[in-house]
Amino acid sequence: MLYLGQYSVVAKAIQDDVLVLQRAGIQLTVLFDGAVPHDKQRTRLKRYATYLERASMTLSHLEHINNALRQSKVGDDLPIPSDFLLLPPLMLDVCVQALREMNVKIIVCADEADGQVA
């Protein structure tokens, strides 16, 4: 079971998936968004506000969450609502490092990656 706070577990999961693709002969290129365009900054701010609200809600229910997680077993469905799950602050860094260790080509776009993906 994964609660998204174990960076090394997340890094290993990424590398395991990359390895499967590499063994199949697929050469990956991963694109990341760059700077937020001016016309989408308001949307980004709303997302940050929502994240902060969810973080506050999670903290206010932390005792319940911890008790539920302690009582759960490996393989069980997550015993708490998904609204309580938050990506840890360094998750992007962990993803990039895991990909670099696998020699995956990484492109950080100047702005949104949508255009280059298309």
Side-chain angles (χ1 to χ4, degrees), residues 53-106:
E53 289 170 9
R54 288 178 55 216
S56 175
M57 181 178 63
T58 299
L59 287 173
S60 68
H61 291 87
L62 202 51
E63 186 174 342
H64 166 74
I65 293 168
N66 285 333
N67 287 335
L69 293 176
R70 274 191 219 99
Q71 294 172 7
S72 67
K73 294 183 174 55
V74 173
D76 287 350
D77 288 335
L78 198 58
I80 56 172
S82 61
D83 287 347
F84 290 121
L85 298 177
L86 302 169
L87 285 176
L90 299 176
M91 191 57 69
L92 177 61
D93 297 314
V94 169
C95 291
V96 169
Q97 183 61 34
L99 293 169
R100 284 188 175 140
E101 289 176 5
M102 301 291 294
N103 295 316
V104 172
K105 183 177 179 182
I106 296 171

Side-chain angles (χ1 to χ4, degrees), residues 1-15:
M1 191 174 327
L2 179 64
Y3 302 116
L4 298 176
Q6 304 101 333
Y7 291 117
S8 61
V9 175
V10 173
K12 182 173 179 348
I14 291 169
Q15 290 178 334

